[in-house]
Amino acid sequence: MILAKPKHSIKHVAIIMDGNGRWASMRAHPRVWGHVRGSGIVADIVEAADDAGVGALTMYAFSTENWCRPQTEVRVLFNLLHKFLKRERDRILKNNIRFKIMGDITNLPVSTKNLIAQLENESRLNTGLKLTFAFGYGGRSEITQAMNLFVKENPGRDVTEEELAKYLMIPDLGDVDLLIRTGGDHRISNFLLWQIAYAELYFTDTKWPDFSVVEFDEILDIVSKRERRFGAITSAPDLKSNIEQARTNKSLLRG
Ligand code: FPP
């Protein structure tokens, strides 16, 4: 980890790590080989995000839809998560990273659930990069769950956007600034549907096992030069300023 972090306007990066299966098939290997190779670069990208001064990195490791894959593939993905937790625990703690899983992990092996609980607990007060793996995750399910929780606690009352955001799985992650998808497809695949409302989208043909720190840094560079207007006509410093401007306009127009 480098100490003097460059200033960056991109605070939350989300990544859909796609293309593992095709990467392996193109090399006449079983699909799972792509996941194995893909899992090998996750730690490099975590470090690159940390070095670039990104505040939060959320990686899509297993979607609710991935349950439909063959049992052997599901087992390999569970196993890779397990190995990552064991291998990277010390580095995560040393680098002041807060680690969390978002999603339904009920069906993971008990030993993996224990490793998750342990690392989440050990890293909970860390103030550096917020590293989150979306595992057993679906965006629609997250929003539905948030809505149900709100209704339970506030029967008969309408919810506001600000209130609902507080009921999401990890509220302090905030909005995504940049969503990267590798593997050449241009889809969102039920990832962070609420949080990507104003995200910059970046699709690369690179398949995840070939993704690199160099490409990650290049994408940050390209996207940080894009003008983000959040629905206004000139670029505002952030989404909050536009919301405040909109409120002022509305009350002025009401008279
Ligand atoms: C999509 O590729 C990728 C996944 C379903 C899983 C992503 C998981 C990893 C990169 C490894 C997990 C590692 C850790 C440390 C949690 P795909 O199989 O859909 O690729 P395809 O589109 O080529 O078929």
Side-chain angles (χ1 to χ4, degrees), residues 108-160:
L108 284 185
V110 176
S111 58
T112 310
K113 284 195 276 195
N114 287 342
L115 281 180
I116 292 170
Q118 190 189 339
L119 188 52
E120 284 190 340
N121 184 43
E122 286 174 319
S123 69
R124 73 188 190 288
L125 300 176
N126 287 353
T127 52
L129 178 75
K130 290 171 183 160
L131 171 64
T132 307
F133 285 171
F135 209 98
Y137 173 86
R140 285 187 174 178
S141 159
E142 179 182 27
I143 295 170
T144 310
Q145 222 172 287
M147 195 64 213
N148 283 333
L149 271 173
F150 177 85
V151 169
K152 215 176 193 175
E153 288 180 17
N154 304 275
R157 198 160 72 69
D158 284 352
V159 67
T160 65

Side-chain angles (χ1 to χ4, degrees), residues 78-94:
F78 285 3
N79 206 8
L80 290 172
L81 173 64
H82 190 96
K83 283 188 174 151
F84 177 92
L85 294 167
K86 282 186 101 164
R87 192 175 63 235
E88 297 301 325
R89 174 193 167 271
D90 291 351
R91 188 146 54 140
I92 285 175
L93 296 177
K94 186 173 135 256

Side-chain angles (χ1 to χ4, degrees), residues 17-23 31 34-36 38-39 42 60-63 66 69 73 77 80-81 84 87 133 135 185 207-208:
M17 306 179 277
D18 196 24
N20 295 345
R22 279 167 289 155
W23 183 92
R31 289 177 49 80
H35 297 318
V36 174
S39 71
V42 170
Y60 211 0
F62 191 87
S63 71
N66 289 153
R69 296 200 172 195
E73 188 169 338
L77 287 166
L80 290 172
L81 173 64
F84 177 92
R87 192 175 63 235
F133 285 171
F135 209 98
D185 287 328
K207 295 180 179 57
W208 178 253

Side-chain angles (χ1 to χ4, degrees), residues 211-223:
F211 196 65
S212 64
V213 169
V214 171
E215 186 168 2
F216 179 77
D217 286 341
E218 269 170 16
I219 295 172
L220 284 186
D221 217 42
I222 292 167
V223 173

Side-chain angles (χ1 to χ4, degrees), residues 20-32:
N20 295 345
R22 279 167 289 155
W23 183 92
S25 303
M26 281 163 62
R27 288 159 179 80
H29 285 300
R31 289 177 49 80
V32 292

